[in-house]
Amino acid sequence: MKRRVKNNVSWVGYIDWELETFHGDDYSIRHGSSQNAYLIEEEKTVLIDTVWTPHRFDFVENLKSEIDLSKIDFIVANHGECDHSGSLTALTDEIPTCPIYCTQNAVKSIEGQYGKRGWDFHVVKTGDSIDIGNGKKLVFVEMQMLHWPDSMATYLTGDNILFSNDAFGQHFAVEELFNDKADQCVLFHEAMKYYANILMPFSSILKRKLQEIASLDLVFDMIAPSHGVIWRDNPTQIIEKYASWCDDYKENQVTIVYDTMWNGTEKIAHAISEEIAKEDPEVVVKVFSIAKSDKNEVMTEVMKSKAIALGSPTVGRSILSSVAGWTEFLKQLRFTGKKAGAFGCYGWSGESVKILQGLLKDAGFDVIEETIFSNWNPDEEDLSKVPVFAKSLLS
Ligand code: FEO
């Protein structure tokens, strides 16, 4: 169903209330999501993006119920990932000669996924624009690596709407579409979770892109991403958030992540948590048993943290697979400006803490020398090292 966004701009996307995971099973969805597509009906009729492949036939049928598809003058494909390009095949089965405006890399990703189907691609670069009549233009801004090499944003002059695609999005289903209608607490949590788990590795690129966008002196009446709410109430607040998130973001928080076999490493995790709270009552401390936790939510907590502590017992001359898998994900996200410390128990050989320190260094953390490393169950002597460890993490 077409819904008015502003003037002749409508939302024609799909609200995915049932979605439980995204990117396969790699991203947990707690509050639904949406794939936002937009229809602009000026002298030219333009479709901005489509929806995910499983919904392609509904998408095309809905669109048909709103307009004669042959009236679409062109499609803008801001990004080739299938949650936005996944209906292009069904759509171009109906309108095979409809031009598609996208980046050179999007040609590669769309053809790579769906094959060469005689698409009428028109490659655009930053600053290119198209007149759509009634004094309005679409201006393209390449958003390379935000978060794919093919990503771009499209700005509609006159209405001053930035169709930002994934940037500024959230996996959050909101029936009323707009940010002022959403639960603000959930909205900002989901925006941060999206940033932590998807955009964090590209923070330095994002920082430069935000400066570039600022230098264009654009007015933003709305920022309309491809997931979650449309920012219409104080739309630049999400740009301000991104500006702080891409710049070594941290709050006064320490996050402790561990897994345990016979509760020895768990005992150390709890001792560190209690000590940090005692040492600095202002700091927020959170503890996660990673095998039992949602890894994406834990990454969001890491984003908020100024330091983390990571624990595993030694097993098979290494660390527990739950910690190893999570740490590989941690490395991919390339957090910067954070401290980390390692702890764990061992029975026979005792490699885990050294391995954890190496992994944390590889992941870009400033690793403290102090460790808590306990042979068998942590005893008083082992736990006597906790205050020094905690102080070093907090300093
Ligand atoms: Fe929402 Fe990168 O796709």
Side-chain angles (χ1 to χ4, degrees):
M1 186 71 78
K2 188 165 99 171
R3 302 185 198 184
R4 171 73 55 82
V5 171
K6 184 181 180 190
N7 297 331
N8 296 322
V9 179
S10 308
W11 177 93
V12 289
Y14 182 82
I15 299 184
D16 217 333
W17 292 103
E18 287 76 23
L19 197 68
E20 291 181 311
T21 61
F22 184 76
H23 281 164
D25 288 327
D26 211 40
Y27 189 114
S28 62
I29 302 290
R30 292 283 173 265
H31 302 97
S33 188
S34 64
Q35 299 121 43
N36 299 333
Y38 301 94
L39 188 68
I40 305 171
E41 294 169 280
E42 297 293 348
E43 287 172 36
K44 301 275 187 202
T45 299
V46 184
L47 177 69
I48 309 263
D49 294 323
T50 69
V51 306
W52 188 27
T53 324
H55 312 304
R56 64 193 186 281
F57 298 119
D58 284 343
F59 173 76
V60 171
E61 286 310 309
N62 285 340
L63 209 51
K64 262 186 191 173
S65 71
E66 301 289 351
I67 56 159
D68 175 354
L69 294 184
S70 68
K71 291 212 167 110
I72 298 176
D73 290 287
F74 61 93
I75 301 163
V76 172
N78 277 323
H79 177 28
E81 198 164 8
C82 60
D83 48 333
H84 310 299
S85 66
S87 303
L88 283 175
T89 50
L91 186 58
T92 54
D93 281 346
E94 304 271 345
I95 44 172
T97 59
C98 187
I100 300 172
Y101 286 76
C102 62
T103 62
Q104 186 67 60
N105 278 328
V107 173
K108 283 188 204 165
S109 66
I110 291 168
E111 286 190 336
Q113 291 170 95
Y114 312 111
K116 294 179 190 290
R117 297 165 50 101
W119 316 87
D120 183 17
F121 288 120
H122 294 249
V123 170
V124 293
K125 297 192 178 72
T126 295
D128 288 351
S129 64
I130 304 177
D131 200 326
I132 57 168
N134 299 326
K136 296 178 186 178
K137 283 195 301 187
L138 289 175
V139 183
F140 304 107
V141 182
E142 286 168 280
M143 301 280 275
Q144 197 166 25
M145 296 318 298
L146 296 171
H147 68 119
W148 269 19
D150 66 11
S151 300
M152 74 169 184
T154 301
Y155 180 75
L156 171 61
T157 67
D159 291 318
N160 304 329
I161 302 175
L162 182 71
F163 300 98
S164 58
N165 200 263
D166 283 332
F168 311 123
Q170 339 81 49
H171 287 302
F172 185 20
V174 176
E175 188 67 49
E176 302 85 355
L177 300 181
F178 295 102
N179 67 316
D180 48 294
K181 297 291 186 183
D183 177 317
Q184 299 299 294
C185 197
V186 178
L187 172 57
F188 282 98
H189 176 77
E190 289 299 335
M192 183 182 269
K193 179 177 171 182
Y194 191 91
Y195 190 96
N197 286 275
I198 293 181
L199 293 172
M200 181 56 74
F202 313 112
S203 287
S204 58
I205 297 170
L206 182 70
K207 201 169 174 179
R208 290 196 298 276
K209 185 54 67 177
L210 291 179
Q211 286 160 357
E212 183 191 319
I213 290 172
S215 73
L216 297 174
D217 274 335
L218 299 174
V219 174
F220 297 109
D221 289 353
M222 287 186 190
I223 294 175
S226 55
H227 299 289
V229 301
I230 298 168
W231 301 89
R232 71 174 173 189
D233 175 42
N234 185 13
T236 55
Q237 62 181 307
I238 190 61
I239 298 181
E240 286 155 23
K241 285 282 181 202
Y242 269 46
S244 70
W245 292 345
C246 72
D247 196 13
D248 289 350
Y249 182 77
K250 55 179 85 74
E251 298 175 14
N252 192 17
Q253 178 170 325
V254 176
T255 298
I256 299 164
V257 179
Y258 75 95
D259 196 6
T260 198
M261 291 172 73
W262 300 111
N263 306 102
T265 302
E266 178 183 87
K267 194 171 175 186
I268 301 172
H270 292 177
I272 296 168
S273 174
E274 284 166 23
E275 185 62 31
I276 288 171
K278 195 167 90 185
E279 185 70 33
D280 182 355
E282 296 299 311
V283 83
V284 173
V285 196
K286 294 188 184 175
V287 181
F288 297 96
S289 166
I290 194 59
K292 300 185 178 82
S293 303
D294 177 326
K295 68 178 186 289
N296 306 109
E297 296 290 347
V298 178
M299 285 307 175
T300 314
E301 298 304 328
V302 172
M303 178 172 157
K304 290 190 225 165
S305 299
K306 59 184 180 183
I308 68 167
L310 184 61
S312 172
T314 296
V315 55
R317 310 191 78 168
S318 187
I319 56 175
L320 284 170
S321 59
S322 54
V323 179
W326 184 80
T327 312
E328 173 58 29
F329 185 26
L330 185 74
K331 183 178 162 187
Q332 291 169 19
L333 296 179
R334 287 182 251 156
F335 289 100
T336 55
K338 297 183 192 296
K339 291 178 107 176
F343 63 96
C345 292
Y346 67 101
W348 305 110
S349 67
E351 291 87 350
S352 70
V353 166
K354 269 218 166 356
I355 289 170
L356 291 174
Q357 285 187 310
L359 291 171
L360 287 165
K361 274 181 197 151
D362 281 354
F365 286 77
D366 176 13
V367 179
I368 61 170
E369 282 177 16
E370 295 81 359
T371 60
I372 318 286
F373 192 35
S374 167
N375 191 207
W376 302 106
N377 276 330
D379 59 17
E380 253 180 53
E381 192 190 333
D382 297 319
L383 295 177
S384 71
K385 294 173 186 155
V386 170
V388 177
F389 182 90
K391 273 195 185 74
S392 183
L393 269 187
L394 289 170
S395 65

